[in-house]
Amino acid sequence: MVLAGLALSAVLALLWALSAGELDIPAGTVFGALFGSEQGMSAAIVRELRLPRAVAAFACGGLLATAGALMQVLLRNPLADPYILGISGGAAVGALGAITLGAASFWIDASAFVGALTAMLLVFGLAHGDGSWTQTRLLLTGVIVAAGCGAAVSLMLALASDTRVKSMLFWLMGDASAAVRPWPALVVLVGALALVAPCARDLNVLARGELGARALGVAVSRLRVGLYVLASLLTATAVTLVGSVGFVGLIVPHLVRLALGNDQRVLIPAAALAGGTLLTLADTAARTVIAPQQLPVGVLTALIGVPVFLFLLSRSPR
């Protein structure tokens, strides 16, 4: 029932995203545009402009929330974030490098994805060290790599021409307006949920402690590495699609956990639906609050996430 309610909320959020804007479009026209019975300017706006953006926001939110849920159970830290391994920083370096060179949109996306994967491989390679790595070592390595990527981003912003700085800043703050190919990300989200579902019981055991999980026959090392890599790929896909959108992967899984408990069979799909719904609502608000001007969606998620994070932190004194 909870998952059905979240799915209904996601549908309503997508419907609002397709109908709201500088030009309000009735729900009947939206349905007609989606099913091909409606033509004209309003239908073209729905199909060609608003639908790709809404799907991109939903897919990005679902990817980040799923990655956050996996990171939190694997690190056994409810305040872990999917950007914690420096993946967002690597994607930012790749994307801003392509923007600096004046590359087309496709090459910006490709460079962001390559940068994210490079950062992931660098973190895992450095954390592996002498042949073994711990959660703390992985975390610290990710923080250092993220700091290095942040320095590279600052350098590129300082050296960029005035005409390119605005597009760079919008990408860094999260912007769904340029997402014209959202469907692969949605396929990645569905595929990831299908891959994680058989592991949910093992994750429930692992959440209670590594030694107990090993004693009960869980292949902890293989499970942990596989899901770390999956969470990294999900984050890389989300960052490539919409840019750096903070706090969704941090706040959504924790709030879902507070509401539904820590059963990963329910938590992970619920987090994906809630994350997608939240980012869809935030993106719709970002383009309607001060229309015709648009706000970066990452600004709104940060405005929501910062007070929620401080509240959650105050409830977790350890």
Side-chain angles (χ1 to χ4, degrees):
M1 291 179 63
V2 171
L3 292 177
L6 287 172
L8 178 61
S9 299
V11 171
L12 293 176
L14 289 169
L15 181 61
W16 182 47
L18 296 178
S19 61
E22 191 175 359
L23 173 65
D24 289 328
I25 299 176
T29 304
V30 170
F31 283 113
L34 292 177
F35 294 107
S37 61
E38 189 78 27
Q39 301 298 326
M41 184 182 70
S42 296
I45 290 174
V46 170
R47 285 194 295 261
E48 298 175 16
L49 296 178
R50 293 184 182 175
L51 180 60
R53 180 167 182 166
V55 173
F58 182 84
C60 180
L63 289 167
L64 291 175
T66 303
L70 293 176
M71 294 298 297
Q72 287 172 14
V73 70
L74 289 172
L75 293 174
R76 295 203 299 277
N77 184 348
L79 298 180
D81 183 80
Y83 292 151
I84 206 166
L85 298 182
I87 299 166
S88 175
V93 171
L96 297 192
I99 293 173
T100 301
L101 297 174
S105 175
F106 171 80
W107 293 109
I108 293 173
D109 292 346
S111 298
F113 194 74
V114 170
L117 293 184
T118 302
M120 181 194 76
L121 294 175
L122 182 62
V123 168
F124 277 95
L126 293 175
H128 194 264
D130 59 356
S132 62
W133 51 267
T134 63
Q135 295 163 338
T136 303
R137 185 168 184 167
L138 188 69
L139 176 63
L140 293 176
T141 306
V143 170
I144 296 301
V145 170
C149 291
V153 166
S154 299
L155 178 62
M156 284 189 284
L157 287 173
L159 297 178
S161 62
D162 293 340
T163 57
R164 302 197 187 280
V165 168
K166 184 176 180 180
S167 60
M168 288 180 169
L169 290 177
F170 254 75
W171 193 94
L172 287 173
M173 291 185 288
D175 180 23
S177 62
V180 295
R181 294 177 295 274
W183 304 105
L186 192 62
V187 172
V188 170
L189 174 61
V190 174
L193 292 175
L195 286 174
V196 171
C199 305
R201 292 181 181 272
D202 290 344
L203 287 174
N204 283 337
V205 177
L206 183 61
R208 297 180 178 274
E210 183 176 331
L211 292 178
R214 291 184 186 276
L216 291 173
V218 176
V220 173
S221 298
R222 186 172 60 186
L223 176 67
R224 200 165 55 179
V225 171
L227 292 181
Y228 274 136
V229 172
L230 179 61
S232 300
L233 292 175
L234 296 181
T235 307
T237 304
V239 173
T240 300
L241 182 65
V242 177
S244 297
V245 178
F247 290 99
V248 174
L250 171 65
I251 299 300
V252 171
H254 194 63
L255 292 179
V256 172
R257 186 178 294 106
L258 290 176
L260 302 179
N262 203 30
D263 187 348
Q264 306 302 317
R265 294 172 297 177
V266 178
L267 174 65
I268 292 175
L273 288 170
T277 302
L278 174 64
L279 198 57
T280 303
L281 294 174
D283 182 63
T284 306
R287 62 180 174 79
T288 57
V289 169
I290 57 172
Q293 283 188 301
Q294 298 188 25
L295 296 172
V297 66
V299 172
L300 289 186
T301 58
L303 290 175
I304 297 170
V306 167
V308 173
F309 177 82
L310 293 176
F311 171 72
L312 295 176
L313 194 61
S314 68
R315 288 169 54 93
S316 304
R318 291 183 297 173

